[in-house]
Amino acid sequence: MNGSSRPIWEVTTLLKLNHLSVHYGAIQALKDVNLHVEEGEIVSLIGANGSGKTTTLRTISGLERKSGGEILYQGKDISKTLASEIVKLGISHVPEGRRIFPRMTVFENLEVGAITRKDKENVAKDFQRSFELFPRLLERKNQLAGTLSGGEQQMLAIARGLLARPKLLLLDEPSMGLAPLIVEEIFNIVRDINAAGTTVLLVEQNAHLALKYSNRGYILKNGYIDLEGYSKDLVNNDEVKKAYLGG
């Protein structure tokens, strides 16, 4: 400690949303959202389509602009920071639908992920780490990304996000459209990524999976936080069971 009077949460909290609101014209997509992500956690954001999950991630990463509130990253408000600068600060966003470059090779897609980095000597090590996490990408590194399977494209999207060497990975709907076995494989890799030191904020419609792999969760409903808690408690919550777990 340096003897400063900083609040305790600033020491360990990587991300904090304070009363965050977002409008699309007259429509309010997020309403007074408060959440926090501690260093080393996997935090899940669960909700139905249109509840505001993707908007939350896009606003954190600078792709949408807030209409009210704060986005604090390592204690500093980044809500007016350009998306390109937010990547440099250590936040990497793996978007819904993967958004890989189909006419570029796997290797070229990964190079895009490292484009903002200046520490070129470490980039090669991170490429190697990506290929260790996703051996299939090594096998297909010279293949056009558009010819990959859906699961391989999701692996590529995550690997590309990691090439920015983020402290915080924003992961949007990684299970979408994938076979159950592939989904399980990807979520196990996400757990490995987290164990290696990357904090994860996970948006996921599959509440079973999200709560299985996360430390804590937030339930978004119509743009506001309806419930929050430890994942093990949310799994046993009657309201969550009824609305999201089919129980």
Side-chain angles (χ1 to χ4, degrees), residues 13 60 68 79 88 115 118 124 126 136 162 168 172 174 210 231:
T13 298
I60 293 166
S79 58
K88 293 177 186 177
I115 202 167
K118 306 296 184 188
D126 290 341
R136 269 179 275 183
L162 290 174
L168 175 63
D172 196 352
S231 297

Side-chain angles (χ1 to χ4, degrees), residues 216-243:
R216 292 186 302 108
Y218 292 85
I219 310 294
L220 260 180
K221 184 177 180 181
N222 299 323
Y224 65 90
I225 301 292
D226 186 42
L227 283 170
E228 62 180 279
Y230 289 106
S231 297
K232 58 182 175 58
D233 296 328
L234 291 174
V235 166
N236 295 311
N237 180 287
D238 289 339
E239 185 179 339
V240 174
K241 283 180 180 179
K242 183 178 179 181

